[in-house]
Amino acid sequence: MRDVQLILVVDDTPANLAVTSEALTDAGFEVAIAKDGERALKQAERNLPDLILLDVMMPGIDGFETCRRLKASPITQEIPIIFMTALSDATDKVSGFNLGAVDYITKPFQEAELLARVKTHLKLRHLSLTLEQQVTERTSELTAALQQVQQSQIQLLQSEKMATLGQLVAGVAHEINNPVNFIHGNLGHIGGYIQTLLEFIQLYQKHYPHPVPEIQAKAEDEDLEFLQEDLLKILASIKIGSDRIREIVRTLRNFSRTDEAESKTVDIHEGIDSTLTILQHRLKATPERPAIEVIKDYSNLPLVECYPGALNQVFMNILVNAIDALEDSFNKQQKTFEKFTIAIRTSVIDEQLVKIAIADNGSGIPEQVKQSIFNPFFTTKPVNQGTGMGLSISYQIITDKHKGKLECFSTSGAGAEFVIQIPIRQKVSLTF
């Protein structure tokens, strides 16, 4: 805003211009002049005045037409206009007000009246601009506050969902763990008992190679030799299945960590693997698409001080997005076969940071979308299929909670890679 207010005086009479300009200049205003409507329009757009004094009766376009054009232009439409006229007809004044003028000064006018009206409307204009600015600022503040509340609500909902999922997974793991431990614990005894019985049968066959006909017939009908061989194979298979269930239970328990109040030193790979276990059903082949292959390239990472429950949530969000992207890519390309992969690589940077990169070979993210993916409520998914908060919350967890960095690298048509960097010890933070 200029220090001295500028008044544009438009009048075709030089004497009127001189008198008006002198009065305004003496009162401390800066004055610009125009002798007709066309010049006034150009002058106003070139150097916006704070107020215009506009003569009604002028050659060429008169004051009314000049006012109409000023109010029609987005550049000059907000400038207050005071008509100067020798006309006193009420109809003319109404016409002027309807065109957007704020006041009339009747010629010949008194200098005191002229200055009073000019100052009054400049003050009203200033108050109007100030009020508009305050309303705009307040609206921006309220909008920001509303977005913050919405973001907090979504974050709370997301946290509650993750906590509920963690409790559910922990409960299921606990319920499975008891019978599985019972089965696993008794497999050793069963194996010993079966081995004893088989040895007993073999000992019997050694000392009684020619049993009575009934036993001989039963042994041949049941294929006793096959049963002895297959029984040990079945027992070994049961042992493998039991071990697999116990491993699944262990990874479920690892994923379900909800103790986010304090950081813990954990194995990052366990968190990734437990998340993949939860998502195993989405990685398998379906009638609509082939299986998604997970390629692990794990380095020898140290234990990392972090918030494991929150970090698992980040892994979940990024991996779910990768799976969704691959499915969307397959549907759009309408290919009968495509090898879809998710590559997970881990490494250590400068003995201070761990890096986790999760990349898919889908269709990639367009540049205009990539610029907004970490913004709250931004989503490219259909209605009711995403809140637009998953990556925003992930970004907050990594940058705020872990003092780390989360970046996305992608080229449309060439897949996408999300790279996480977090300190091995929380006292270290990244510089952005």
Side-chain angles (χ1 to χ4, degrees):
M1 186 175 181
R2 58 172 66 93
D3 295 331
V4 180
Q5 291 172 303
L6 174 64
I7 311 297
L8 174 61
V9 182
V10 187
D11 199 313
D12 63 322
T13 305
N16 290 339
L17 285 175
V19 172
T20 307
S21 298
E22 183 179 357
L24 294 170
T25 301
D26 291 343
F29 296 107
E30 183 179 348
V31 179
I33 61 173
K35 294 183 179 180
D36 56 55
E38 293 288 356
R39 293 178 184 177
L41 293 172
K42 294 178 181 178
Q43 179 102 350
E45 290 196 354
R46 185 169 58 249
N47 189 12
L48 287 178
D50 296 291
L51 183 141
I52 298 175
L53 290 172
L54 180 60
D55 188 21
V56 173
M57 303 300 293
M58 294 185 298
I61 61 171
D62 61 12
F64 291 142
E65 177 61 18
T66 303
C67 180
R68 187 191 68 77
R69 294 191 189 182
L70 286 168
K71 292 301 179 182
S73 170
I75 299 175
T76 58
Q77 62 184 1
E78 299 299 329
I79 302 172
I81 297 174
I82 299 177
F83 276 125
M84 300 185 297
T85 180
L87 302 175
S88 58
D89 186 77
T91 302
D92 291 327
K93 290 185 178 182
V94 170
S95 298
F97 286 129
N98 286 337
L99 288 170
V102 296
D103 205 349
Y104 264 89
I105 297 178
T106 304
K107 297 177 181 179
F109 51 78
Q110 297 293 323
E111 181 178 326
E113 180 188 5
L114 171 67
L115 295 177
R117 290 180 183 273
V118 167
K119 291 178 180 178
T120 296
H121 287 293
L122 285 173
K123 186 174 182 180
L124 288 173
R125 177 59 180 156
H126 175 72
L127 291 174
S128 176
L129 291 174
T130 302
L131 180 60
E132 289 177 5
Q133 183 178 359
Q134 290 175 345
V135 169
T136 301
E137 291 175 354
R138 187 59 178 158
T139 301
S140 299
E141 291 174 1
L142 291 174
T143 301
L146 177 60
Q147 290 178 342
Q148 182 62 41
V149 169
Q150 290 175 328
Q151 183 174 356
S152 298
Q153 289 175 335
I154 295 294
Q155 288 176 343
L156 179 61
L157 177 61
Q158 192 80 357
S159 297
E160 289 175 349
K161 286 168 62 178
M162 289 301 297
T164 301
L165 176 61
Q167 292 169 359
L168 175 63
V169 169
V172 170
H174 177 74
E175 292 300 319
I176 295 176
N177 194 53
N178 287 336
V180 166
N181 281 341
F182 173 80
I183 293 171
H184 186 81
N186 282 290
L187 279 176
H189 301 301
I190 292 174
Y193 298 157
I194 290 176
Q195 190 63 42
T196 299
L197 289 173
L198 290 177
E199 290 174 355
F200 182 80
I201 291 173
Q202 292 168 0
L203 185 63
Y204 182 86
Q205 289 175 329
K206 175 182 177 181
H207 292 285
Y208 298 94
H210 304 291
V212 298
E214 183 179 358
I215 294 176
Q216 182 68 30
K218 185 66 174 176
E220 292 175 356
D221 289 342
E222 298 297 339
D223 196 350
L224 186 60
E225 184 177 349
F226 169 78
L227 288 179
Q228 293 181 66
E229 294 177 357
D230 199 46
L231 186 57
L232 293 176
K233 294 179 181 178
I234 292 174
L235 186 63
S237 297
I238 294 174
K239 177 66 166 58
I240 292 172
S242 172
D243 290 340
R244 174 60 181 150
I245 294 174
R246 293 183 77 203
E247 177 63 19
I248 291 173
V249 170
R250 187 188 68 80
T251 56
L252 289 176
R253 283 183 160 181
N254 181 68
F255 177 83
S256 66
R257 292 172 170 172
T258 56
D259 47 354
E260 299 182 18
E262 58 182 26
S263 62
K264 294 183 177 297
T265 302
V266 299
D267 183 347
I268 293 293
H269 294 151
E270 285 188 356
I272 298 173
D273 290 340
S274 64
T275 307
L276 289 171
T277 298
I278 298 291
L279 295 173
Q280 191 63 41
H281 68 289
R282 293 206 56 193
L283 298 170
K284 295 179 180 178
T286 69
E288 291 76 29
R289 62 158 177 80
I292 297 173
E293 180 184 359
V294 176
I295 302 171
K296 299 179 185 178
D297 182 10
Y298 290 172
S299 296
N300 185 21
L301 298 185
L303 297 179
V304 177
E305 184 182 344
C306 65
Y307 299 86
L311 199 56
N312 287 345
Q313 181 179 350
V314 174
F315 297 150
M316 173 71 78
N317 288 335
I318 294 176
L319 286 167
V320 165
N321 278 355
I323 294 170
D324 289 344
L326 290 173
E327 290 181 343
D328 183 61
S329 175
F330 184 82
N331 292 334
K332 287 180 178 178
Q333 295 173 14
Q334 295 294 312
K335 292 183 178 179
T336 55
F337 177 80
E338 177 79 26
K339 184 178 181 181
F340 286 144
T341 62
I342 296 176
I344 306 174
R345 301 188 308 277
T346 62
S347 58
V348 176
I349 303 175
D350 297 332
E351 299 183 352
Q352 291 187 323
L353 308 169
V354 292
K355 175 180 175 182
I356 305 104
I358 301 175
D360 65 73
N361 66 338
S363 56
I365 304 173
E367 184 62 31
Q368 64 272 22
V369 173
K370 188 173 68 172
Q371 294 174 358
S372 304
I373 58 175
F374 294 125
N375 293 343
F377 309 109
F378 177 83
T379 179
T380 58
K381 296 178 182 178
V383 177
N384 297 326
Q385 291 190 21
T387 63
M389 289 300 295
L391 289 177
S392 173
I393 291 174
S394 298
Y395 187 85
Q396 184 181 45
I397 289 173
I398 296 300
T399 59
D400 294 347
K401 204 173 187 68
H402 290 88
K403 309 303 179 188
K405 183 188 295 185
L406 174 58
E407 297 176 292
C408 174
F409 301 94
S410 178
T411 302
S412 185
E417 181 179 47
F418 287 84
V419 178
I420 301 167
Q421 293 183 43
I422 59 173
I424 296 173
R425 296 289 174 264
Q426 281 301 299
K427 63 181 179 179
V428 180
S429 60
L430 296 184
T431 301
F432 293 91

